[in-house]
Amino acid sequence: MITINNLRIVKILALLLATTSSLYTHNGLTTRNAKKRRLAVLFEKQQLYDYEGGDSVQSRRGFLSTTVGVTTALLLIYQQAPALAEEGGPICIIGANGKTGSECVGACLARGIQVVATSRGGEYTQGGPYDADISKKLLQRKPCDVTIPSTVDSAILKSRAVIFAASASKAGGTASAVDNVGLVNVAKACINQKIPHLVIVSSGAVTKPDSPVYKFLNLFGNIMAEKIKGEDAVRELYKNQASGCTYTVIRPGGLTIEEGRGVGALELNQGDTKSGRISRADVASICVESTNYPQLTGGATFECYDADTAKPLKTVGVSNILKQKTKADDDQVFINGKERRGSTFREIFT
């Protein structure tokens, strides 16, 4: 008998086959357009790290080939069919009163998605230009302190996805308590409650301790070192569970408070060798939209930034401060071969 879950699997399979049928292999990389070096599938590409002598050494598999990607996707879809949290539930934002967290709340409301805005005190203070009736219908407020697991459990209950946008602050806790242990507390709760998707807002350059960006940001409470510890702990947790839940790690470049430019202005990447600037509004859109495409973003870690601000890590800090742009016809433009662009989120994730 064909059940609803089976029909969903068939539909996703058809989508995957339709998407991958237009891909071809160039220089060992699966691409849509060799000239722009667009890679095929941002799926199930965990970035693994080994620590030797206190340094983070990244061992990257890169993107999987189309065939392996589709096969892995089907296996995960098969696992996801049973007993996940309700798909129609809200998206829970951890750290909703922060600048990026509040943008995530707004991104949900703009899309008509039910959202739970959490903070330590249970108040959502950021507000925004939202229609009062829409906010009343879609927005809930709950207390959540990531250092206290019991508050996490109640905050994320029956959510269809959780976005972790919390970070260290004077009032909220140290980088170790929030960006590392707090993130692990949230991940454990998501797995225990079978929340389908955990999205984590991390940081570009987090695996490059010798880069200027890492060195500067890490001055603030060792935050970069704690972020990568938290990332790695989450990967380990999800690697050893069979509930069908998944996660996505998003590593933004230098964050701005400018208006979002939209998906067409963005570039995704992997390998943590390239970054740029990006508005918090666009980061929020990536977070929310990634929950709509778990077959593409599940198990993936990627960087994001405005395509016209892209620079190698060694120079991106100065470039961001000076608000420089990258010229499209510049022969010296740095390309690592893992750039991804698109006019829609489905395309940029594919």
Side-chain angles (χ1 to χ4, degrees), residues 41-211:
V41 180
L42 269 173
F43 180 77
E44 193 74 353
K45 277 77 65 179
Q46 292 98 336
Q47 296 182 353
L48 308 178
Y49 305 86
D50 298 317
Y51 291 87
E52 298 177 0
D55 290 334
S56 173
V57 181
Q58 191 175 31
S59 172
R60 302 186 300 275
R61 286 189 293 163
F63 291 128
L64 298 181
S65 67
T66 303
T67 302
V68 176
V70 172
T71 303
T72 308
L74 290 175
L75 289 174
L76 183 56
I77 292 166
Y78 178 78
Q79 290 175 338
Q80 284 182 328
L84 287 179
E86 293 183 11
E87 293 183 2
I91 293 179
C92 179
I93 313 298
I94 307 295
N97 280 336
K99 293 178 180 178
T100 302
S102 65
E103 292 287 355
C104 289
V105 173
C108 288
L109 293 177
R111 291 163 172 78
I113 298 172
Q114 291 183 331
V115 60
V116 176
T118 75
S119 64
R120 294 186 312 281
E123 296 296 325
Y124 179 57
T125 60
Q126 293 300 308
Y130 318 127
D131 183 276
D133 290 336
I134 292 177
S135 295
K136 186 176 181 180
K137 293 177 181 178
L138 299 178
L139 177 62
Q140 302 177 59
R141 300 165 179 83
K142 289 185 179 181
C144 179
D145 185 335
V146 297
T147 67
I148 304 175
S150 61
T151 69
V152 177
D153 290 336
S154 58
I156 70 172
L157 188 65
K158 294 185 178 180
S159 296
R160 69 177 179 89
V162 172
I163 297 175
F164 185 92
S167 194
S169 66
K170 291 182 179 179
T174 65
S176 175
V178 179
D179 297 81
N180 182 2
V181 177
L183 172 59
V184 172
N185 288 339
V186 171
K188 288 180 178 178
C190 286
I191 292 171
N192 289 340
Q193 293 192 29
K194 294 183 173 59
I195 305 297
H197 205 158
L198 169 62
V199 178
I200 300 159
V201 181
S202 184
S203 174
V206 74
T207 69
K208 306 296 182 182
D210 293 329
S211 69

Side-chain angles (χ1 to χ4, degrees), residues 202-241:
S202 184
S203 174
V206 74
T207 69
K208 306 296 182 182
D210 293 329
S211 69
V213 173
Y214 184 106
K215 290 179 179 179
F216 174 72
L217 293 177
N218 207 48
L219 294 174
F220 301 93
N222 210 36
I223 191 168
M224 297 293 271
E226 297 300 336
K227 280 183 179 292
I228 189 58
K229 289 178 183 177
E231 278 192 22
D232 287 340
V234 169
R235 292 187 186 91
E236 193 65 24
L237 285 170
Y238 277 83
K239 183 177 70 174
N240 296 322
Q241 59 83 35

Side-chain angles (χ1 to χ4, degrees), residues 276-288:
R277 298 186 300 282
I278 185 170
S279 72
R280 294 178 187 273
D282 280 326
V283 173
S285 291
I286 293 171
C287 289
V288 174

Side-chain angles (χ1 to χ4, degrees), residues 303-332:
E303 295 80 55
C304 59
Y305 45 83
D306 289 347
D308 61 5
T309 68
K311 295 283 185 180
L313 279 186
K314 64 181 179 180
T315 61
V316 73
V318 173
S319 175
N320 284 348
I321 292 172
L322 298 178
K323 297 185 178 181
Q324 294 176 337
K325 294 290 185 72
T326 303
K327 296 181 180 179
D329 58 352
D330 188 347
D331 292 336
Q332 302 302 314

